[in-house]
Amino acid sequence: MNKEALVPFRIAPDAAGWQEVDFAVLGDERPPAPEFPASLFGEFWSRWLQQAAAAKGAPIDYVAAGLLAGCAASIGNARHALLYESSNWTEPPLLWFQLVGSPSSGKSPALDATFSMLSDIESDLNADWEGRRADYDAAKEAASVALEDWKGQVKTAAKEGVPPPQRPERAREPDRPERKRIRIGDATIEAVARILKANPKGLLCHRDELAGWLESFTRFSGGSDRPFWLEAYGARAYTVDRVKADGEPVFIPRLTVSVIGGIQPARLAPLFNREQDDGLQARFLSIWPEPVGVTRPGVIEGREQALNALRRLANLQMVTDQSGRLAPSYLPFTDGAEAVFHEWRTENHRPELEGLIGGHWGKLPNYFGRLALIMELMTWAADHPAEPEPGEISEKTATRVALLIDEYLKPMALRVYSEGGFAEDESDARNLGRWLRRTRQTVINVRDIRRNPPVQGLSGKGRLERAIEILCDAGVLRLVTSEGVGRPRGDYEVNPAIVEGER
């Protein structure tokens, strides 16, 4: 990646003969946050987003992420997008967001603008909960009586030496009812599997702190949770073997879980550095807006219209396929939308990008289809509720999505991944350079660093040398060439400009 395009900041050579310093290699200057393009969301939602952000005293970016995630979970497996009919490329309405910001940046109030409406919808969906629970209790008791009766018949048959009767269906305990859910919080894999079985449309998982959650996949579960969440991004079939129901693993036809949560800026680089090469982190759309000032909380205008729009999405139902199983119905791209997508996809192709940013870039075509489906349906639900549900994704919606990705999501990704989401060599150089500045080093020795590496991974063969080479090219280090003064070979001077913080 051309870091100069992100951080056009250098220091001129000084009198001591140091070359020009490229501070981009240290990541000192992150790209600015792009302005959120609210106008792309149609007449009602663009107005509602601005009003909700003002009422919550939060960046509109966070409010929009919560709204998109809420719409994604409300639609769920009821509708999927069909991008290329010729190749059967489909995408579910499934989004993963990481909201970057300090604890006081307004993430929670912003999400509450949508989540409070999801709670209202869940209450509506569970209006019959008491009745369903009473029916379950009665059926369970009847099954218990039938079971005892059957056991008696088995004993009698054994005494008489005749084959025992088969266990009747009425003697089997009924499935325990589950509340209808759209959103979940801190849940184990077993709990998520159980809830998904009762809610086949899918779920939205909200985590207050994403970094700790992602790190827990390997710390507490031996890595077994990670494959589950990798599959949850793609809405594919999955079997949870750790959960037993009547002696059988739980099979989930479509593991569909959107994710949204917060992460503090200081946790980004450590998380990036520990990321495994499986693309989990690259699946997240990153939102890191500039902070907003303190405002007086207010009431969100248009809440009832927004709530009714979300209800329409939540009321969309899955269909029954030829095998009798629940399945989504598909909204194909129109010819015009397909042309927009293909042109955008061609221009977006960047095989030269490496590291986490390269992996994320590769996920953007998937997100194009997902966002197009969501934006088509959420616009209909709010702006055109009297009209029939759209049966295809329009060229207008595809154009809006292309603008949203190019003018907002891509710059946001560059802003976030400037904290360490680049290729290994660049990350090593950045982390070593930041250590030099933080500890105010003046001279370093290669052998000393290899014996006691200040940055994880630098003891590996060749990695330290490549990091030092990058820092030398950037004017941060230079080899000590003087002989006969007692210095061991492999010493490098540190540019005083980075130690003293000169600009």
Side-chain angles (χ1 to χ4, degrees), residues 20-188:
E20 174 180 60
V21 177
D22 180 5
F23 272 81
V25 77
L26 303 180
D28 282 9
E29 301 288 332
R30 71 177 61 96
E35 182 179 355
F36 182 77
S39 60
L40 297 179
F41 286 81
E43 181 180 352
F44 172 75
W45 287 121
S46 61
R47 183 173 65 252
W48 182 87
L49 286 169
Q50 296 174 64
Q51 293 169 346
K56 295 295 184 179
I60 190 174
D61 315 60
Y62 293 155
V63 178
L67 174 63
L68 285 168
C71 290
S74 298
I75 299 167
N77 285 319
R79 304 290 183 269
H80 284 194
L82 179 59
L83 283 72
Y84 288 119
E85 193 165 3
S86 58
S87 64
N88 199 32
W89 179 354
T90 65
E91 291 292 340
L94 194 158
L95 304 176
W96 283 18
F97 281 111
Q98 62 178 6
L99 310 185
V100 185
S102 66
S104 58
S105 57
K107 296 188 291 291
S108 295
L111 294 180
D112 182 65
T114 296
F115 289 179
S116 64
M117 294 188 290
L118 295 183
S119 296
D120 290 348
I121 295 172
E122 286 183 329
S123 295
D124 296 341
L125 295 174
N126 290 289
D128 62 344
W129 169 248
E130 294 300 329
R132 287 194 289 130
R133 186 56 190 259
D135 291 343
Y136 165 75
D137 291 340
K140 181 179 179 182
E141 187 62 28
S144 178
V145 172
L147 180 63
E148 291 302 317
D149 180 60
W150 172 69
K151 288 180 178 179
Q153 296 176 32
V154 172
K155 289 181 180 179
T156 300
K159 290 178 181 180
E160 296 176 354
V162 298
Q166 291 187 348
R167 181 177 177 176
E169 192 62 33
R170 67 177 184 278
R172 299 184 184 278
E173 183 175 324
D175 291 335
R176 186 180 68 178
E178 289 282 347
R179 286 184 174 273
K180 304 289 181 60
R181 303 286 295 274
I182 298 176
R183 183 167 58 99
I184 59 173
D186 186 5
T188 63

Side-chain angles (χ1 to χ4, degrees), residues 174-222:
D175 291 335
R176 186 180 68 178
E178 289 282 347
R179 286 184 174 273
K180 304 289 181 60
R181 303 286 295 274
I182 298 176
R183 183 167 58 99
I184 59 173
D186 186 5
T188 63
I189 297 302
E190 290 85 351
V192 175
R194 189 187 72 245
I195 297 170
L196 275 174
K197 187 177 180 181
N199 296 270
K201 281 184 66 176
L203 299 166
L204 170 61
C205 177
H206 173 217
R207 303 292 307 205
D208 284 330
E209 179 49 59
L210 278 178
W213 180 59
L214 294 172
E215 291 166 355
S216 72
F217 291 170
T218 53
R219 188 165 63 241
F220 299 123
S221 65

